[in-house]
Structures are given as structure tokens and as C-alpha cells.
Coordinates of all heavy atoms in Angstrom, one line a residue:
M1 N -18.9 -1.8 -11.2 CA -17.5 -1.7 -11.3 C -16.9 -1.9 -9.9 O -17.4 -1.3 -8.9 CB -17.0 -0.4 -11.8 CG -15.5 -0.2 -11.9 SD -14.9 1.3 -12.6 CE -15.2 0.9 -14.4
P2 N -15.9 -2.7 -9.7 CA -15.3 -3.0 -8.4 C -14.7 -1.7 -7.8 O -14.2 -0.8 -8.6 CB -14.3 -4.1 -8.6 CG -14.1 -4.1 -10.1 CD -15.2 -3.5 -10.7
T3 N -14.8 -1.6 -6.5 CA -14.2 -0.4 -5.8 C -13.5 -1.0 -4.7 O -13.8 -2.0 -4.1 CB -15.3 0.6 -5.3 OG1 -16.2 0.9 -6.5 CG2 -14.7 1.9 -4.7
A4 N -12.4 -0.3 -4.2 CA -11.6 -0.7 -3.1 C -11.1 0.4 -2.3 O -11.1 1.6 -2.8 CB -10.4 -1.5 -3.6
T5 N -10.8 0.3 -1.1 CA -10.1 1.2 -0.2 C -8.8 0.5 0.2 O -8.8 -0.7 0.4 CB -10.8 1.7 1.0 OG1 -11.3 0.5 1.7 CG2 -12.2 2.4 0.7
A6 N -7.7 1.2 0.2 CA -6.4 0.6 0.6 C -5.6 1.8 1.2 O -5.9 3.0 1.1 CB -5.8 0.1 -0.6
R7 N -4.5 1.3 1.8 CA -3.6 2.2 2.3 C -2.2 1.6 1.9 O -2.1 0.5 1.6 CB -3.6 2.5 3.9 CG -3.6 1.2 4.7 CD -4.0 1.7 6.2 NE -3.9 0.5 7.0 CZ -3.8 0.6 8.3 NH1 -3.9 1.8 9.0 NH2 -3.8 -0.5 9.1
H8 N -1.2 2.4 1.8 CA 0.1 2.0 1.3 C 1.3 2.8 2.0 O 1.1 3.8 2.4 CB 0.1 2.0 -0.3 CG 0.6 3.4 -0.8 ND1 1.4 3.5 -1.8 CD2 0.0 4.6 -0.5 CE1 1.5 4.8 -2.1 NE2 0.7 5.4 -1.4
I9 N 2.4 2.2 1.8 CA 3.7 2.9 2.1 C 4.5 2.8 0.9 O 4.7 1.7 0.3 CB 4.3 2.2 3.3 CG1 3.5 2.2 4.5 CG2 5.8 2.7 3.6 CD1 3.8 1.3 5.7
L10 N 5.1 3.9 0.5 CA 6.0 3.9 -0.7 C 7.4 4.3 -0.3 O 7.7 5.4 0.4 CB 5.4 5.0 -1.7 CG 6.3 5.4 -2.9 CD1 6.5 4.1 -3.7 CD2 5.8 6.5 -3.6
V11 N 8.3 3.5 -0.7 CA 9.7 3.7 -0.4 C 10.6 3.5 -1.6 O 10.1 2.9 -2.6 CB 10.3 2.8 0.8 CG1 9.5 3.3 2.1 CG2 10.1 1.4 0.5
A12 N 11.9 3.8 -1.6 CA 12.7 3.8 -2.7 C 13.3 2.5 -3.1 O 13.6 2.1 -4.3 CB 13.9 4.7 -2.6
T13 N 13.5 1.6 -2.0 CA 14.2 0.3 -2.3 C 13.3 -1.0 -1.8 O 12.6 -0.7 -0.8 CB 15.5 0.3 -1.6 OG1 15.3 0.2 -0.2 CG2 16.5 1.4 -2.0
E14 N 13.6 -2.0 -2.4 CA 13.0 -3.3 -2.1 C 13.5 -3.6 -0.6 O 12.6 -4.2 0.2 CB 13.3 -4.4 -3.1 CG 12.6 -5.7 -2.7 CD 12.8 -6.7 -3.8 OE1 13.7 -6.6 -4.5 OE2 12.0 -7.7 -3.7
A15 N 14.7 -3.4 -0.3 CA 15.2 -3.7 1.1 C 14.6 -3.0 2.1 O 14.0 -3.5 3.2 CB 16.7 -3.6 1.1
E16 N 14.3 -1.7 1.9 CA 13.6 -0.8 2.9 C 12.1 -1.3 3.0 O 11.6 -1.4 4.1 CB 13.6 0.5 2.4 CG 13.0 1.5 3.5 CD 13.1 3.0 3.1 OE1 13.5 3.3 2.0 OE2 12.7 3.9 4.0
C17 N 11.5 -1.7 1.9 CA 10.2 -2.2 1.9 C 10.0 -3.4 2.8 O 9.2 -3.6 3.6 CB 9.8 -2.4 0.5 SG 8.1 -2.4 0.2
L18 N 11.0 -4.4 2.5 CA 10.9 -5.6 3.3 C 11.2 -5.4 4.8 O 10.5 -6.0 5.8 CB 11.9 -6.6 2.7 CG 11.6 -7.3 1.4 CD1 13.0 -7.9 0.8 CD2 10.5 -8.2 1.6
K19 N 12.1 -4.5 5.2 CA 12.3 -4.2 6.6 C 11.0 -3.6 7.2 O 10.6 -3.9 8.3 CB 13.5 -3.1 6.6 CG 13.7 -2.6 8.0 CD 14.8 -1.4 7.9 CE 14.9 -0.5 9.1 NZ 13.7 0.4 9.1
L20 N 10.4 -2.7 6.6 CA 9.1 -2.1 7.1 C 8.0 -3.1 7.2 O 7.3 -3.2 8.1 CB 8.6 -0.9 6.2 CG 9.7 0.3 6.2 CD1 9.2 1.3 5.2 CD2 9.9 0.8 7.6
K21 N 8.0 -4.1 6.1 CA 6.9 -5.2 6.2 C 7.1 -6.0 7.5 O 6.2 -6.3 8.2 CB 7.0 -6.0 4.9 CG 5.9 -7.0 5.0 CD 6.0 -7.8 3.6 CE 4.8 -8.8 3.5 NZ 4.8 -9.3 2.1
A22 N 8.4 -6.3 7.8 CA 8.7 -7.1 8.9 C 8.3 -6.4 10.2 O 7.9 -6.9 11.2 CB 10.2 -7.4 8.9
E23 N 8.5 -5.1 10.3 CA 8.2 -4.3 11.5 C 6.6 -4.3 11.7 O 6.2 -4.5 12.8 CB 8.5 -2.9 11.4 CG 10.0 -2.5 11.4 CD 10.3 -1.1 11.3 OE1 9.5 -0.2 11.5 OE2 11.6 -0.8 10.9
I24 N 5.9 -4.2 10.6 CA 4.4 -4.2 10.7 C 4.0 -5.6 11.1 O 3.2 -5.8 12.0 CB 3.8 -3.8 9.4 CG1 4.0 -2.4 9.1 CG2 2.3 -4.1 9.4 CD1 3.9 -1.9 7.7
E25 N 4.5 -6.6 10.5 CA 4.2 -8.0 10.9 C 4.5 -8.4 12.3 O 3.9 -9.3 12.9 CB 4.7 -9.0 9.9 CG 4.0 -8.9 8.5 CD 4.6 -9.8 7.4 OE1 5.9 -10.2 7.6 OE2 4.0 -10.0 6.4
A26 N 5.5 -7.6 12.8 CA 5.9 -7.9 14.3 C 5.0 -7.1 15.2 O 5.1 -7.1 16.5 CB 7.3 -7.5 14.4
G27 N 4.1 -6.2 14.7 CA 3.2 -5.5 15.6 C 3.2 -4.0 15.5 O 2.3 -3.4 16.1
T28 N 4.1 -3.4 14.7 CA 4.0 -2.0 14.6 C 2.9 -1.5 13.9 O 2.6 -2.2 12.9 CB 5.4 -1.4 14.1 OG1 6.5 -2.1 14.8 CG2 5.4 0.0 14.0
D29 N 2.2 -0.5 14.2 CA 1.1 0.0 13.5 C 1.4 0.5 12.1 O 2.2 1.2 11.9 CB 0.4 1.2 14.4 CG -0.8 1.7 13.6 OD1 -1.8 0.9 13.5 OD2 -0.8 2.9 13.2
F30 N 0.6 -0.1 11.1 CA 0.7 0.3 9.6 C 0.8 1.8 9.4 O 1.7 2.4 8.8 CB -0.3 -0.3 8.9 CG -0.1 -0.2 7.4 CD1 0.4 -1.3 6.6 CD2 -0.4 1.0 6.7 CE1 0.6 -1.2 5.3 CE2 -0.1 1.1 5.3 CZ 0.4 0.0 4.6
A31 N -0.2 2.5 10.0 CA -0.3 3.9 9.8 C 0.8 4.7 10.4 O 1.4 5.7 9.8 CB -1.6 4.5 10.4
E32 N 1.4 4.2 11.5 CA 2.6 4.9 12.1 C 3.8 4.7 11.2 O 4.5 5.6 11.0 CB 2.8 4.2 13.6 CG 4.0 4.8 14.2 CD 4.2 4.1 15.6 OE1 3.2 3.9 16.2 OE2 5.4 3.9 16.0
V33 N 4.0 3.5 10.7 CA 5.0 3.2 9.9 C 4.9 4.1 8.5 O 6.0 4.7 8.2 CB 5.2 1.7 9.5 CG1 6.3 1.5 8.4 CG2 5.4 0.9 10.7
A34 N 3.8 4.2 8.1 CA 3.5 5.0 6.9 C 3.9 6.5 7.2 O 4.5 7.1 6.3 CB 2.1 4.9 6.4
R35 N 3.4 7.0 8.3 CA 3.6 8.5 8.7 C 5.2 8.8 8.7 O 5.7 9.8 8.3 CB 3.1 8.8 9.9 CG 1.6 9.2 9.7 CD 1.0 9.7 11.1 NE -0.4 9.3 11.1 CZ -1.0 8.2 11.7 NH1 -0.2 7.4 12.3 NH2 -2.2 8.1 11.8
K36 N 5.9 7.8 9.2 CA 7.3 8.1 9.4 C 8.3 7.7 8.3 O 9.3 8.3 8.2 CB 7.9 7.1 10.6 CG 7.4 7.6 12.0 CD 7.8 6.6 13.0 CE 7.3 7.1 14.4 NZ 7.7 6.2 15.5
N37 N 7.8 6.8 7.3 CA 8.6 6.3 6.3 C 8.3 6.5 4.8 O 9.0 6.5 3.9 CB 8.9 4.8 6.5 CG 9.5 4.5 7.8 OD1 10.8 4.5 7.9 ND2 8.7 4.1 8.8
S38 N 6.9 6.7 4.5 CA 6.5 6.8 3.1 C 6.9 8.1 2.5 O 6.8 9.1 3.2 CB 4.9 6.5 3.2 OG 4.5 6.5 1.8
S39 N 7.1 8.0 1.2 CA 7.5 9.2 0.4 C 6.3 9.8 -0.3 O 6.3 10.7 -0.9 CB 8.7 8.9 -0.5 OG 8.2 7.9 -1.4
C40 N 5.1 9.1 0.0 CA 3.9 9.5 -0.7 C 3.2 10.6 0.2 O 3.1 10.4 1.4 CB 3.0 8.4 -0.9 SG 1.4 8.7 -1.7
P41 N 2.6 11.6 -0.3 CA 1.7 12.6 0.4 C 0.7 11.9 1.4 O 0.3 12.5 2.4 CB 1.1 13.5 -0.5 CG 2.1 13.4 -1.8 CD 2.5 12.0 -1.8
S42 N 0.2 10.7 1.0 CA -0.8 10.0 1.8 C -0.3 9.6 3.1 O -1.0 9.3 4.0 CB -1.2 8.8 1.1 OG -0.2 7.8 1.0
R43 N 1.1 9.7 3.4 CA 1.6 9.4 4.7 C 0.9 10.3 5.8 O 0.8 9.8 6.9 CB 3.2 9.6 4.7 CG 3.6 11.0 4.7 CD 5.1 11.2 4.6 NE 5.5 12.6 4.5 CZ 5.7 13.2 3.3 NH1 5.4 12.7 2.3 NH2 6.0 14.4 3.3
M44 N 0.5 11.5 5.4 CA -0.1 12.3 6.3 C -1.5 11.7 6.9 O -1.9 12.1 8.0 CB -0.4 13.7 5.8 CG 0.8 14.4 5.2 SD 2.2 14.5 6.5 CE 1.5 15.8 7.4
Q45 N -2.1 10.8 6.1 CA -3.3 10.0 6.5 C -2.9 8.7 6.9 O -3.8 7.8 6.7 CB -4.3 10.1 5.4 CG -4.9 11.4 5.1 CD -4.0 12.3 4.3 OE1 -3.4 11.9 3.4 NE2 -3.9 13.6 4.6
G46 N -1.8 8.3 7.3 CA -1.4 7.0 7.6 C -1.3 6.1 6.4 O -1.5 4.9 6.5
G47 N -1.2 6.6 5.2 CA -1.1 5.9 4.0 C -2.3 5.6 3.3 O -2.5 5.0 2.3
D48 N -3.5 6.2 3.9 CA -4.8 6.0 3.4 C -5.1 6.6 2.1 O -4.9 7.8 1.9 CB -5.8 6.5 4.4 CG -7.3 6.0 4.1 OD1 -7.6 5.4 3.0 OD2 -8.2 6.5 4.8
L49 N -5.5 5.8 1.0 CA -5.7 6.3 -0.3 C -7.1 6.5 -0.6 O -7.5 7.0 -1.7 CB -5.2 5.3 -1.3 CG -3.6 5.2 -1.3 CD1 -3.2 4.0 -2.1 CD2 -2.9 6.4 -1.7
G50 N -8.0 6.2 0.4 CA -9.5 6.3 0.1 C -9.9 5.2 -0.9 O -9.3 4.3 -1.0
A51 N -11.1 5.5 -1.4 CA -11.8 4.7 -2.3 C -11.4 5.0 -3.8 O -11.3 6.2 -4.1 CB -13.2 4.8 -2.2
F52 N -11.1 3.9 -4.6 CA -10.9 4.1 -6.0 C -11.3 2.9 -6.8 O -11.6 1.8 -6.2 CB -9.3 4.3 -6.1 CG -8.4 3.3 -5.6 CD1 -8.0 2.2 -6.2 CD2 -8.0 3.5 -4.2 CE1 -7.2 1.3 -5.7 CE2 -7.3 2.5 -3.6 CZ -6.8 1.5 -4.3
V53 N -11.4 3.0 -8.1 CA -11.8 2.0 -9.1 C -10.6 1.6 -10.0 O -9.6 2.3 -9.9 CB -13.0 2.4 -9.9 CG1 -14.1 2.7 -8.9 CG2 -12.7 3.5 -10.7
P54 N -10.7 0.3 -10.6 CA -9.6 0.0 -11.5 C -9.3 1.2 -12.5 O -10.3 1.7 -13.1 CB -10.2 -1.3 -12.1 CG -11.2 -1.9 -11.1 CD -11.7 -0.6 -10.5
G55 N -8.0 1.3 -12.7 CA -7.6 2.3 -13.8 C -7.3 3.7 -13.1 O -6.6 4.5 -13.8
Q56 N -7.6 3.8 -11.8 CA -7.2 5.2 -11.1 C -5.7 5.1 -10.7 O -5.1 6.1 -10.4 CB -8.1 5.5 -10.0 CG -9.4 5.9 -10.5 CD -10.3 6.4 -9.4 OE1 -10.9 5.7 -8.8 NE2 -10.3 7.8 -9.1
M57 N -5.2 3.8 -10.4 CA -3.9 3.6 -10.0 C -3.0 3.0 -11.1 O -3.6 2.5 -12.0 CB -3.8 2.8 -8.7 CG -4.5 3.3 -7.6 SD -3.9 4.8 -6.9 CE -5.1 5.3 -5.7
V58 N -1.7 2.9 -10.9 CA -0.9 2.4 -12.0 C -1.2 0.8 -11.9 O -1.7 0.2 -11.0 CB 0.6 2.6 -11.7 CG1 0.9 3.9 -11.9 CG2 1.1 2.1 -10.3
K59 N -0.9 0.1 -13.1 CA -1.4 -1.3 -13.3 C -0.9 -2.2 -12.3 O -1.7 -3.0 -11.8 CB -0.8 -1.7 -14.7 CG -1.1 -3.1 -15.2 CD -0.6 -3.4 -16.5 CE -0.9 -4.8 -16.9 NZ 0.1 -5.7 -16.8
E60 N 0.4 -2.2 -11.9 CA 0.9 -3.2 -10.9 C 0.2 -2.8 -9.6 O -0.1 -4.0 -8.9 CB 2.4 -2.9 -10.6 CG 3.3 -2.9 -11.8 CD 3.5 -1.7 -12.7 OE1 2.7 -0.7 -12.6 OE2 4.3 -1.7 -13.6
F61 N -0.1 -1.8 -9.1 CA -0.9 -1.5 -8.0 C -2.3 -2.0 -8.1 O -2.8 -2.7 -7.1 CB -1.0 0.2 -7.7 CG -1.2 0.5 -6.3 CD1 -0.1 0.7 -5.4 CD2 -2.5 0.6 -5.8 CE1 -0.4 1.1 -4.1 CE2 -2.6 1.0 -4.5 CZ -1.6 1.3 -3.7
D62 N -3.0 -1.7 -9.1 CA -4.4 -2.2 -9.4 C -4.5 -3.7 -9.3 O -5.3 -4.2 -8.8 CB -4.8 -1.7 -10.7 CG -5.7 -0.4 -10.7 OD1 -5.8 0.1 -9.6 OD2 -6.2 -0.1 -11.8
E63 N -3.5 -4.4 -9.9 CA -3.5 -5.8 -9.9 C -3.5 -6.3 -8.5 O -4.2 -7.3 -8.3 CB -2.3 -6.3 -10.7 CG -2.4 -6.1 -12.3 CD -1.2 -6.5 -13.0 OE1 -0.2 -7.0 -12.5 OE2 -1.3 -6.4 -14.3
V64 N -2.7 -5.8 -7.7 CA -2.7 -6.3 -6.2 C -4.0 -6.0 -5.5 O -4.6 -6.8 -4.9 CB -1.5 -5.7 -5.6 CG1 -1.5 -6.0 -4.0 CG2 -0.2 -6.3 -6.1
V65 N -4.5 -4.8 -5.6 CA -5.6 -4.3 -4.9 C -6.8 -5.0 -5.4 O -7.7 -5.3 -4.4 CB -5.7 -2.7 -5.1 CG1 -7.1 -2.3 -4.5 CG2 -4.7 -1.9 -4.3
F66 N -7.0 -5.3 -6.5 CA -8.3 -5.9 -7.0 C -8.3 -7.5 -7.1 O -9.2 -8.1 -7.5 CB -8.7 -5.3 -8.2 CG -9.2 -3.9 -8.0 CD1 -8.3 -2.8 -8.3 CD2 -10.5 -3.6 -7.4 CE1 -8.8 -1.4 -8.0 CE2 -10.9 -2.3 -7.1 CZ -9.9 -1.3 -7.4
S67 N -7.1 -8.1 -6.6 CA -7.0 -9.4 -6.5 C -6.4 -10.1 -5.1 O -6.7 -11.2 -4.9 CB -6.2 -10.0 -7.7 OG -4.8 -9.7 -7.5
G68 N -5.8 -9.1 -4.4 CA -5.2 -9.7 -3.3 C -6.0 -9.8 -2.0 O -7.2 -9.5 -1.9
E69 N -5.5 -10.5 -0.9 CA -6.1 -10.7 0.2 C -6.4 -9.5 1.1 O -5.5 -8.6 1.2 CB -5.3 -11.7 1.1 CG -6.1 -12.2 2.3 CD -5.3 -13.3 3.1 OE1 -4.4 -13.9 2.4 OE2 -5.5 -13.5 4.3
I70 N -7.6 -9.3 1.5 CA -8.0 -8.1 2.3 C -7.4 -8.2 3.7 O -7.4 -9.2 4.3 CB -9.5 -8.0 2.3 CG1 -9.9 -7.7 0.8 CG2 -9.9 -6.8 3.3 CD1 -11.5 -7.7 0.8
N71 N -7.0 -7.0 4.2 CA -6.5 -6.9 5.6 C -5.3 -7.7 5.8 O -4.9 -8.0 7.0 CB -7.6 -7.2 6.6 CG -8.7 -6.3 6.7 OD1 -8.6 -5.1 6.6 ND2 -9.9 -6.9 6.7
K72 N -4.4 -7.8 4.8 CA -3.1 -8.4 4.9 C -2.0 -7.4 4.2 O -2.4 -6.8 3.2 CB -3.0 -9.8 4.2 CG -1.8 -10.4 4.3 CD -1.7 -11.7 3.6 CE -0.4 -12.5 3.8 NZ -0.4 -13.7 3.1
V73 N -0.9 -7.3 4.8 CA 0.2 -6.6 4.2 C 0.7 -7.3 3.0 O 1.3 -8.3 3.2 CB 1.2 -6.0 5.2 CG1 2.3 -5.2 4.6 CG2 0.6 -5.4 6.3
L74 N 0.6 -6.7 1.7 CA 1.0 -7.2 0.6 C 2.3 -6.5 0.1 O 2.4 -5.2 0.1 CB -0.1 -7.2 -0.4 CG -1.4 -7.9 0.0 CD1 -2.5 -7.6 -0.9 CD2 -1.2 -9.3 0.3
G75 N 3.2 -7.2 -0.6 CA 4.3 -6.5 -1.1 C 5.5 -7.0 -0.7 O 5.6 -8.0 0.1
P76 N 6.7 -6.5 -1.2 CA 6.9 -5.3 -2.0 C 6.2 -5.5 -3.5 O 6.3 -6.5 -4.1 CB 8.3 -5.0 -2.2 CG 9.0 -6.1 -1.2 CD 7.9 -7.1 -0.9
V77 N 5.6 -4.2 -3.9 CA 5.0 -4.3 -5.2 C 5.9 -3.1 -5.9 O 5.8 -2.0 -5.4 CB 3.5 -3.9 -5.2 CG1 3.0 -3.6 -6.6 CG2 2.8 -5.0 -4.5
R78 N 6.4 -3.4 -7.0 CA 7.3 -2.4 -7.7 C 6.5 -1.7 -8.7 O 5.8 -2.3 -9.6 CB 8.5 -3.0 -8.3 CG 9.4 -2.1 -8.9 CD 10.7 -2.7 -9.5 NE 11.5 -1.7 -10.0 CZ 12.4 -1.8 -11.0 NH1 12.4 -2.9 -11.6 NH2 13.1 -0.8 -11.4
T79 N 6.6 -0.4 -8.7 CA 5.9 0.4 -9.8 C 6.9 1.5 -10.2 O 8.1 1.5 -9.7 CB 4.6 1.2 -9.3 OG1 5.1 2.2 -8.3 CG2 3.6 0.2 -8.7
Q80 N 6.5 2.3 -11.1 CA 7.4 3.4 -11.6 C 7.8 4.3 -10.5 O 8.7 5.2 -10.6 CB 6.8 4.1 -12.7 CG 5.5 5.0 -12.3 CD 4.6 5.2 -13.4 OE1 4.1 4.4 -14.3 NE2 4.2 6.5 -13.5
F81 N 7.0 4.4 -9.3 CA 7.3 5.4 -8.2 C 8.2 4.8 -7.2 O 8.7 5.5 -6.4 CB 5.9 5.7 -7.7 CG 5.0 6.4 -8.6 CD1 3.9 5.6 -9.0 CD2 5.2 7.5 -9.1 CE1 3.0 6.0 -10.0 CE2 4.3 8.1 -10.0 CZ 3.2 7.4 -10.5
G82 N 8.3 3.5 -7.2 CA 9.2 2.8 -6.2 C 8.6 1.5 -5.7 O 7.9 0.9 -6.5
Y83 N 8.8 1.1 -4.4 CA 8.3 -0.1 -3.9 C 7.2 0.2 -2.8 O 7.3 1.1 -2.0 CB 9.4 -0.9 -3.3 CG 10.4 -1.4 -4.2 CD1 11.5 -0.5 -4.6 CD2 10.3 -2.6 -4.9 CE1 12.4 -1.0 -5.5 CE2 11.2 -3.1 -5.7 CZ 12.2 -2.3 -6.1 OH 13.1 -2.7 -7.1
H84 N 6.2 -0.5 -3.0 CA 5.0 -0.3 -2.1 C 4.7 -1.5 -1.3 O 4.8 -2.6 -1.6 CB 3.7 -0.1 -3.0 CG 3.7 0.9 -4.0 ND1 3.1 2.2 -3.8 CD2 4.3 0.8 -5.2 CE1 3.4 2.9 -5.0 NE2 4.0 2.2 -5.8
L85 N 4.1 -1.2 0.0 CA 3.5 -2.1 0.8 C 2.0 -1.7 0.7 O 1.8 -0.4 0.9 CB 3.9 -2.1 2.3 CG 5.3 -2.6 2.6 CD1 5.7 -2.4 4.1 CD2 5.4 -4.1 2.1
I86 N 1.1 -2.6 0.5 CA -0.2 -2.4 0.3 C -1.1 -3.1 1.2 O -0.9 -4.3 1.4 CB -0.7 -2.6 -1.1 CG1 0.2 -1.9 -2.1 CG2 -2.1 -2.3 -1.4 CD1 0.0 -2.3 -3.6
E87 N -2.1 -2.4 1.9 CA -3.0 -3.2 2.7 C -4.4 -2.8 2.2 O -4.8 -1.5 2.2 CB -3.0 -2.8 4.2 CG -3.9 -3.5 5.0 CD -3.9 -3.1 6.5 OE1 -3.8 -2.0 6.7 OE2 -4.0 -4.1 7.3
I88 N -5.1 -3.8 1.6 CA -6.6 -3.5 1.1 C -7.4 -3.6 2.3 O -7.4 -4.6 3.0 CB -6.9 -4.6 0.2 CG1 -5.9 -4.8 -1.0 CG2 -8.3 -4.3 -0.5 CD1 -5.9 -6.2 -1.6
T89 N -8.2 -2.6 2.6 CA -9.0 -2.4 3.8 C -10.4 -2.8 3.5 O -11.1 -3.3 4.4 CB -8.9 -1.0 4.4 OG1 -9.3 -0.1 3.3 CG2 -7.5 -0.9 5.0
K90 N -10.8 -2.6 2.2 CA -12.1 -3.0 1.8 C -12.3 -3.2 0.3 O -11.5 -2.4 -0.4 CB -13.1 -2.0 2.3 CG -14.6 -2.4 2.2 CD -15.4 -1.2 2.9 CE -17.0 -1.6 2.8 NZ -17.7 -0.5 3.3
R91 N -13.1 -4.1 -0.2 CA -13.3 -4.1 -1.6 C -14.8 -4.6 -1.9 O -15.3 -5.5 -1.1 CB -12.4 -5.2 -2.2 CG -12.4 -5.2 -3.8 CD -11.3 -6.1 -4.3 NE -11.2 -7.5 -3.7 CZ -10.1 -8.0 -3.2 NH1 -8.9 -7.5 -3.4 NH2 -10.1 -9.2 -2.7
W92 N -15.5 -3.9 -2.8 CA -16.8 -4.4 -3.1 C -17.2 -4.2 -4.5 O -16.4 -3.5 -5.3 CB -17.8 -3.5 -2.2 CG -17.8 -2.0 -2.5 CD1 -18.7 -1.3 -3.2 CD2 -16.9 -1.1 -1.8 NE1 -18.5 0.0 -3.1 CE2 -17.3 0.2 -2.2 CE3 -15.8 -1.1 -1.1 CZ2 -16.6 1.5 -1.9 CZ3 -15.2 0.0 -0.6 CH2 -15.5 1.2 -1.1

């Protein structure tokens, strides 16, 4: 079964998500942006979600993590929780 590690930032609006993505792409550290802005408890670990397999996250999140480009900031991805920026750090 495929497994991945990823980190994410969760915010309430698409506009906020796009603003944060632009900051990261301009050179601001992903973990720093997560700590300051994410509404997910994972913000305390810089957005790190650890390792997981398909089915452990909501469908929209899984689809990106198990098909998207590794080490690139992906999103905004809308789920029932809000808007996510996702960085897949490893997949095997």
C-alpha cells in the first residue's frame, strides 16, 4: 500500500490560502507560515502530518497527496475543513 509524508497549512478562505502560497513561493519557510497561520493542531510541528496511507485523510486531500508532485507547494485544496496548502515530502 502506498504511504506518504506531508505537511499542510489549513485556513478558512481560498484568498488567504493563495496569499500564503505566494509568500512560500517567494522564499518564506513553509513551517514558519504553518506555525503562524494554520488552524490545524499540526501547526505546532510546522504543519507536519507524519506518515499516512490512503483513506486516513479526507478524499480531496488523499487525491493530491497520492498523485501530486513531491516537494512542491500544492493547492489551494478545498475540503470540508477549509482550504489547504499541501507539500508532499515523501511517497513510497
Side-chain angles (χ1 to χ4, degrees):
M1 179 173 284
T3 304
T5 57
R7 53 190 185 166
H8 83 133
I9 299 169
L10 174 63
V11 294
T13 69
E14 185 175 18
E16 185 177 6
C17 203
L18 289 167
K19 176 183 157 289
L20 297 176
K21 184 176 185 176
E23 287 180 21
I24 294 164
E25 289 175 343
T28 304
D29 182 62
F30 189 102
E32 181 182 320
V33 174
R35 281 188 207 93
K36 290 180 180 177
N37 298 279
S38 184
S39 62
C40 180
S42 68
R43 72 182 175 276
M44 302 305 284
Q45 293 80 40
D48 188 2
L49 296 168
F52 53 93
V53 297
Q56 287 187 276
M57 302 295 178
V58 294
K59 181 179 182 258
E60 301 89 348
F61 200 94
D62 264 4
E63 287 174 356
V64 171
V65 170
F66 291 99
S67 68
E69 188 176 337
I70 296 172
N71 295 319
K72 181 177 179 185
V73 179
L74 307 170
V77 176
R78 185 176 182 210
T79 71
Q80 67 203 50
F81 302 106
Y83 291 87
H84 306 258
L85 291 178
I86 302 169
E87 182 183 39
I88 308 154
T89 52
K90 189 175 180 184
R91 189 171 49 225
W92 65 98

